[in-house]
Amino acid sequence: MAIVFIRTIIVYLSLILSMRIMGKRQLGELELSEVVIAVLISDMASHPLQDIGVPLLNGLIPVLVLLCCEVLISGLVMKSIRFRAFICGRPSILIENGKIIQSELKRNRFCLDELTEDLRKKGITDISKVKYAVLETDGTLNALQYASEMPPSAASLNVQVEDFSIPRCIISDGRIIERTLAESGKDFAWLKKQLEMRNVKDAKDVFYMTVDDFDKIYFLAKENNK
Amino acid sequence: MKKELIFGIILAVLFALVIINIYVLNGLCGRLQDLLTDSRRSAEAGDWGKAVEKAEEAEQLWNKADPYTHIVVRHSEIDSATDAFYDLLKALYSEDEGEAKGSYMLLDAHLTSIVGMEKITLGSIF
């Protein structure tokens, strides 16, 4: 058991280190420690399942140790900027003012084809129009074009537009979601009134009903009750 | 930070438990090896009755610890050790000196291996 415990910590730390050295482009969209956890847990937990001769604890202890490591590492990442930089790395600017920074490209082992491919995915074909392209710590590339290349916003055009809010679901498949009803500042009397206005006697006859901050209601009755 | 503290404590408790497990296994195998040593000395002295008695005592102790050992030791290791116990008893019942000697060595090797697998050494970790 102790060997399993120590081995888990060693494997976890060595995977973090090796994947950190491998660089961001290996990560995809997960943070480094999340990738390591995903890789390890899926494999370790399966051993006692495949081999009944292995005590279940041999599978459970590594998972629990990894969980603790992950919580501790993520806590330290939140607390310490230096530790965060060590574990997650720092964002790298690959393009600045329309110019590719070749040293950063090389440092991140990011080839030109990959860079242009990622830019094309964002609808950018002309590198000279990119103000900044940043390779984030999770391995994704974010590109910001020059202000002159950006689509105009309503504010920049001095156009008045209606604001929006997220609709809250208050009835889902016949069930009243009391929490969201209260969050919306509404009560059962209001809901009853709204249902009566739509010729519905019971919330059970409603498939989906939402309300937003501007009291805009979306209502859909159940099909078999129509 | 409370969450990190809780998980830090869980990690420390887990580590403490695995260390306790080493001591418990060490103690169990130590007692078994002591009994087997007594049994072997008796067998070497020609006192087969006492040799059997001590070996049976060790076998009972081993079987009594089964609920615990099955949780913390690989089942294949437990089965090998149990087989070695019965081989030893068979040799002692038949008063076969040569077979008994080999069985003592085999059983001792199994028990040493169980303890060795759990001991924290560079060899066992890597």
Side-chain angles (χ1 to χ4, degrees), chain A residues 1-3 5-7 9-10 52-55 57-58 61 64-65 67-69 71-72 74-75 79, chain B residues 1 3-4 7-8 10-11 14-15 18 21-22 70-76 117-120 124-126:
Chain A
M1 293 297 149
I3 302 305
F5 183 96
I6 293 169
R7 277 185 180 181
I9 287 181
I10 291 174
I52 57 164
V54 176
L57 275 183
N58 277 21
I61 284 182
L64 201 53
V65 170
L67 173 69
C68 294
C69 286
V71 173
L72 291 176
S74 55
K79 286 274 165 196
Chain B
M1 207 59 199
K3 195 176 166 190
E4 286 79 14
F7 278 89
I10 292 174
L11 200 62
L14 268 179
F15 189 66
V18 298
N21 178 52
I22 293 174
H70 255 83
I71 294 171
V72 297
V73 179
R74 281 176 186 272
H75 300 174
S76 56
M117 278 199 323
E118 287 298 325
K119 261 189 183 161
I120 303 173
S124 58
I125 291 171
F126 294 97

Side-chain angles (χ1 to χ4, degrees), chain B residues 2-107:
Chain B
K2 202 175 168 185
K3 195 176 166 190
E4 286 79 14
L5 194 68
I6 291 168
F7 278 89
I9 291 168
I10 292 174
L11 200 62
V13 168
L14 268 179
F15 189 66
L17 287 175
V18 298
I19 296 298
I20 289 169
N21 178 52
I22 293 174
Y23 281 102
V24 171
L25 271 182
N26 217 358
L28 174 69
C29 291
R31 265 180 293 152
L32 289 170
Q33 283 171 316
D34 287 346
L35 285 168
L36 291 170
T37 305
D38 290 347
S39 172
R40 197 189 66 224
R41 280 184 189 147
S42 300
E44 281 168 358
D47 188 352
W48 292 101
K50 198 174 178 193
V52 168
E53 188 190 314
K54 288 287 174 187
E56 279 178 345
E57 197 182 328
E59 187 266 332
Q60 280 165 12
L61 182 62
W62 174 250
N63 280 331
K64 210 172 153 187
D66 190 64
Y68 178 73
T69 52
H70 255 83
I71 294 171
V72 297
V73 179
R74 281 176 186 272
H75 300 174
S76 56
E77 292 290 327
I78 297 169
D79 293 342
S80 301
T82 306
D83 288 346
F85 264 110
Y86 292 128
D87 283 345
L88 172 66
L89 286 171
K90 189 180 152 195
L92 292 177
Y93 291 144
S94 59
E95 299 185 3
D96 184 334
E97 201 177 327
E99 202 182 325
K101 200 173 178 183
S103 296
Y104 279 123
M105 286 168 75
L106 181 68
L107 186 51

Side-chain angles (χ1 to χ4, degrees), chain A residues 150-162:
Chain A
M150 302 267 253
S153 67
S156 65
L157 294 171
N158 280 327
V159 176
Q160 291 290 321
V161 287
E162 250 184 63

